Structure formats: structure tokens, C-alpha cells
Amino acid sequence: MSEAASENSRVFFSTDREIDLYELEELCDAVGWSRRPLRKVKKAIQHSFLVVSMWEQRGATRRLVGFARATSDHAFNATIWDVVVHPDFQGKGLGKALMRHMIKKLRSEDISNITLFADPQVVNFYRGLGFMADPEGIKGMFWYPE
Ligand SMILES: CC(C)(COP(=O)(O)OP(=O)(O)OC[C@H]1O[C@@H](n2cnc3c(N)ncnc32)[C@H](O)[C@@H]1OP(=O)(O)O)[C@@H](O)C(=O)NCCC(=O)NCCS
């Protein structure tokens, strides 16, 4: 776990997967994401390679303020999903800290190819962390059921 303290609260990261799914749903609701079936969210968390949650601790109260997870082949590649910071906590460097934590953990597993799918409005957030769009012209391609 790593921490950033301010006044009487502190923010820390955890890789524990035992996250209250309703609390995670609330966090995702707060940024306007559409709801997903909790049983599938649970499965996605269970089968992720890395899950990082970010918590604010104030006295005895703990609040989920950020989340990200990565899937991986455990050797070469990892893809980061569901990066979110609660609006009350945005713009304070916590999203950057969360992503750096993810990258550090993935690098410590010797994963060298880290990818993600950026929503258009956050491309520059990821650029600031060293992510490149379309390196060497490579395009992300998608297939969706009709
Ligand atoms: C994107 C998100 C995770 C950023 O978290 P945050 O805690 O606000 O970001 P930070 O305060 O750590 O910002 C880090 C840097 O990125 C910049 N930044 C933050 N959000 C940005 C955005 N939407 N577009 C461009 N730059 C952004 C900041 O200005 C800051 O720049 P600096 O290092 O030069 O000061 C957060 O806004 C969020 O959860 N958004 C809603 C969910 C979402 O869109 N997730 C991504 C899906 S792909």
C-alpha cells in the first residue's frame, strides 16, 4: 500500500479484490458510466491480473475514491480498464498517482506492453503519463455484435 496524506485524511492504494460492488457502482455512477450487471463486474474483477482501488481514510471511515484494473497474458501484455477517480477527488493528481501505481505494479511483473482504450476527452490525461495514440500508425480495432 502507498499513501498520500492531507490534513486529517489520507489516501491509500490497495490491491485487495474484496471490493464492495455497490460502492464501486456508486463510484462509476458518479462519473456517469452506464451500469453493468454486478455479477459480470465481480467476474471481471476476479479474472483481472491487477486490481487497484484508491481509498480515503478519515478517522475510522473509509471511502472508495478511485479504481483501475488490468487484464494480462502474464508475460508480455497488459491492458488497463475502468480508470476512475470520484469527481470530488479529481484534479488533485490522484488519477495520475493511480495510473503510476498501476504502471509500477505491471512493470514489477516485467510486463512491457501496456495498452488502454482512452475515451476521447481523456486522451491528453494519458498522454501526460507517456501513453501514445497510434504508435507507428497501429490502430486499435474493435468488433461488436450486431
Ligand atoms: C480521467 C481521470 C481518471 C483523471 O483523474 P484526475 O485525478 O482528475 O487527474 P489528475 O488530477 O491526476 O490529473 C493529472 C494530469 O492530467 C490532466 N488531466 C486530468 N483530466 C484530464 C482530462 N480529462 N483531459 C486532459 N487532461 C486531463 C491534469 O490537468 C493533470 O495535468 P498536470 O499533470 O499537467 O497537472 C478522472 O477525470 C476521471 O475519473 N474521469 C471520469 C472517468 C473517465 O473518463 N475515465 C477514463 C476512461 S478512459
Side-chain angles (χ1 to χ4, degrees), residues 27-28 30-33 54 65-67 80-87 89-100 116-129:
L27 174 62
C28 297
V31 297
W33 285 353
M54 191 165 65
V65 298
F67 180 87
I80 297 177
W81 304 94
D82 300 342
V83 179
V84 57
V85 173
H86 191 281
F89 292 78
Q90 289 178 10
K92 300 170 191 246
L94 290 176
K96 203 181 199 171
L98 174 65
M99 283 299 296
R100 286 197 170 143
L116 53 78
F117 301 95
D119 286 346
Q121 69 277 12
V122 290
V123 166
N124 286 334
F125 166 70
Y126 293 120
R127 277 213 174 97
L129 285 152

